[in-house]
Amino acid sequence: MSFIIKLLYYFLLFMTSVLSVFYLYTAIFKRHVGENPYFLKELMGVASLAVLWFLYKAYQMGELNEKYYQGLGCILSSWLCWVVVIGIALLIHYVRFR
């Protein structure tokens, strides 16, 4: 069972970090002036910085302290940063077009 938890921990750590770096890249280098009135790309980039901090804490918990369950919890809770940004964007969209 511990092998599966470690495998899941490393897989989620890698995929979340790749996704976070992608969002940072698009926030910095793929900016166009008129396409995004709510600055959603920039907000996702800022949220990705918070996600990278959560991933660093998950690395410390899992790899250095061998607490893989807590590391998994930290990785999964890092996704809340992106969920909050998308929720705010949907709320703004709903209020604007209502």
Side-chain angles (χ1 to χ4, degrees):
M1 184 66 178
S2 68
F3 174 74
I4 294 172
I5 295 300
K6 287 180 184 179
L7 186 66
L8 184 63
Y9 167 80
Y10 287 119
F11 175 75
L12 284 176
L13 187 68
F14 176 73
M15 293 308 289
T16 306
S17 63
V18 166
L19 189 60
S20 182
V21 168
F22 171 74
Y23 282 142
L24 277 173
Y25 173 76
T26 57
I28 294 171
F29 296 112
K30 300 287 184 175
R31 294 176 46 189
H32 301 291
V33 176
E35 81 175 46
N36 193 358
Y38 304 126
F39 302 106
L40 185 60
K41 282 184 186 177
E42 288 80 8
L43 285 175
M44 290 296 278
V46 171
S48 293
L49 290 175
V51 168
L52 287 174
W53 182 79
F54 272 107
L55 291 178
Y56 175 68
K57 291 298 179 182
Y59 167 75
Q60 285 180 337
M61 283 183 209
E63 185 67 28
L64 301 179
N65 297 332
E66 295 184 7
K67 297 178 182 176
Y68 291 101
Y69 286 107
Q70 291 175 348
L72 273 173
C74 196
I75 293 170
L76 294 176
S77 67
S78 73
W79 283 71
L80 288 176
C81 298
W82 289 325
V83 169
V84 167
V85 169
I86 291 174
I88 290 171
L90 288 175
L91 182 67
I92 290 172
H93 180 74
Y94 174 74
V95 169
R96 181 173 181 222
F97 292 112
R98 188 173 167 206

